[in-house]
Amino acid sequence: MSDIERIKKQPIIRRFLDVHHLDDSFIQENIIEMLTWQEYLKKCEGCLGLSYCRQPLKGHRYQLSFTEDGLSESYGMCSYMREQEKMLAHVKNFRYTHMSTDDYLIDLKTLTQGMTSKQYLEAYAKVVRSLSAKKGIYLCGQAGVGKSYLLKGVANHFAKQGKTVCFVKVPVWIAECRDSMKDTQWRQMNMAQLRWADVVIFDDIGAEYISPWTLNEIVFPILDVRMEQKKKTYFTSNYQWPELESRYAACQKEGRVAANRILERIRALSDVVLLMGTSLR
């Protein structure tokens, strides 16, 4: 079978040729472009989704269009990529985030599917009720029971409603603040984002490096504003409330006042919900 015959067997290319009334001579004149298009289309045959994409640029494929000037080459999104882009439209509402692309696809409405744990279902129900409440949730429990995953679903829920959202892995955030101590502009912008976002989720609070500086200069000023402005705020932690109190109380003397004030603001901003169970990891 000749190259021209193989090219014409490709349904998309054959439709392109028919629509523009192009014959074999056109294919021969543009054989390189046509063969290239055929090879890219071949990679998409039988594709089951973006996870299986074989294109050099994930979710995009080489395509040709016909104009008065001849062939025009471009790269366009496939249907799977267009669907993902639609599902990720809410990402623009995140102001500061440690969530991954996969995290943005977490749908709060589906998080009970296949779940039989009574403890998880009870915690889920309390979290869902909090969506319309004035206060957020302090979701605590052992590692791996689904606390962060659940609140990533909460973050997406609010972002899809057009709310500005921050999802902060507290240990990572504190390390970034330390590394950026001399970058006043970054720090001021970061503080403003976390103070004024409609919804902020502080993930894994209590696991961060605790010092008088982080308590007095970083954490307290943000939580203080959020409490005064009644901004929706959530927390996850491996520490149950008495354990978090003990951990903060153990900080250096210069930070104890701030530590106590931080605990007061966490309590003012959130209701404690305990999520027990076996690890889902």
Side-chain angles (χ1 to χ4, degrees):
M1 185 183 297
S2 68
D3 286 341
I4 290 178
E5 290 173 330
R6 278 196 294 270
I7 289 170
K8 290 170 66 177
K9 284 191 68 175
Q10 215 297 324
I12 293 177
I13 296 179
R14 187 169 63 248
R15 188 161 58 249
F16 169 82
L17 295 170
D18 290 342
V19 166
H20 297 290
H21 310 292
L22 302 171
D23 57 18
D24 291 3
S25 63
F26 176 86
I27 299 174
Q28 188 61 54
E29 291 170 6
N30 299 276
I31 192 67
I32 300 300
E33 292 85 353
M34 301 301 287
L35 284 171
T36 300
W37 194 13
Q38 180 201 29
E39 286 300 312
Y40 273 86
L41 290 172
K42 189 175 180 180
K43 292 179 187 295
C44 291
E45 291 176 1
C47 181
L48 299 176
L50 290 177
S51 299
Y52 304 90
C53 182
R54 296 186 293 158
Q55 297 290 356
L57 179 60
K58 186 176 181 179
H60 294 75
R61 64 187 181 194
Y62 177 90
Q63 56 192 28
L64 295 176
S65 55
F66 188 72
T67 68
E68 292 181 356
D69 298 323
L71 282 180
S72 175
E73 302 172 283
S74 62
Y75 285 84
M77 288 189 290
C78 70
S79 58
Y80 291 118
M81 179 58 80
R82 285 195 296 271
E83 181 62 24
Q84 178 170 288
E85 289 288 300
K86 182 180 177 181
M87 294 173 69
L88 293 175
H90 65 290
V91 174
K92 65 180 182 295
N93 293 320
F94 281 83
R95 295 296 178 263
Y96 175 75
T97 176
H98 293 124
M99 287 169 56
S100 68
T101 299
D102 287 343
D103 291 337
Y104 294 123
L105 299 174
I106 298 171
D107 186 349
L108 183 63
K109 296 177 183 177
T110 66
L111 293 190
T112 57
Q113 292 179 1
M115 295 297 296
T116 58
S117 166
K118 181 181 178 181
Q119 295 96 328
Y120 184 90
L121 294 175
E122 288 177 349
Y124 174 86
K126 291 176 181 178
V127 168
V128 169
R129 285 196 294 271
S130 78
L131 300 177
S132 57
K134 293 181 179 180
K135 295 172 68 174
I137 293 291
Y138 176 85
L139 188 60
C140 56
Q142 67 196 66
V145 293
K147 303 183 301 295
S148 299
Y149 199 80
L150 179 50
L151 290 198
K152 286 172 182 176
V154 169
N156 289 329
H157 168 83
F158 282 116
K160 288 173 183 176
Q161 289 188 332
K163 304 288 187 183
T164 54
V165 179
C166 296
F167 186 95
V168 184
K169 291 183 179 180
V170 178
V172 176
W173 169 53
I174 293 299
E176 289 174 347
C177 289
R178 286 204 313 269
D179 293 341
S180 304
M181 286 179 65
K182 295 181 180 180
D183 190 343
T184 305
Q185 184 177 1
W186 181 90
R187 186 171 157 196
Q188 288 177 344
M189 180 183 69
N190 179 251
M191 296 284 279
Q193 289 168 331
L194 295 174
R195 279 173 170 147
W196 301 109
D198 295 323
V199 180
V200 174
I201 297 169
F202 291 96
D203 184 44
D204 207 12
I205 194 164
E208 74 276 14
Y209 174 76
I210 297 175
S211 71
W213 179 75
T214 59
L215 296 174
N216 286 297
E217 302 296 328
I218 304 299
V219 181
F220 174 74
I222 291 169
L223 294 185
D224 190 48
V225 169
R226 297 197 66 78
M227 183 188 71
E228 292 294 331
Q229 299 298 320
K230 296 180 172 56
K231 293 283 188 179
K232 200 70 169 283
T233 311
Y234 289 81
F235 306 86
T236 76
S237 182
N238 292 340
Y239 296 98
Q240 295 185 34
W241 187 254
E243 296 170 328
L244 186 71
E245 289 181 315
S246 298
R247 173 150 170 74
Y248 273 44
C251 72
Q252 299 174 36
K253 182 173 63 176
E254 308 92 282
R256 285 177 191 163
V257 172
N260 289 332
R261 295 169 79 190
I262 286 169
L263 291 167
E264 290 172 358
R265 279 145 184 80
I266 294 174
R267 288 306 297 262
L269 288 162
S270 62
D271 292 320
V272 177
V273 173
L274 179 61
L275 176 53
M276 300 298 289
T278 57
S279 176
L280 301 176
R281 293 175 181 169

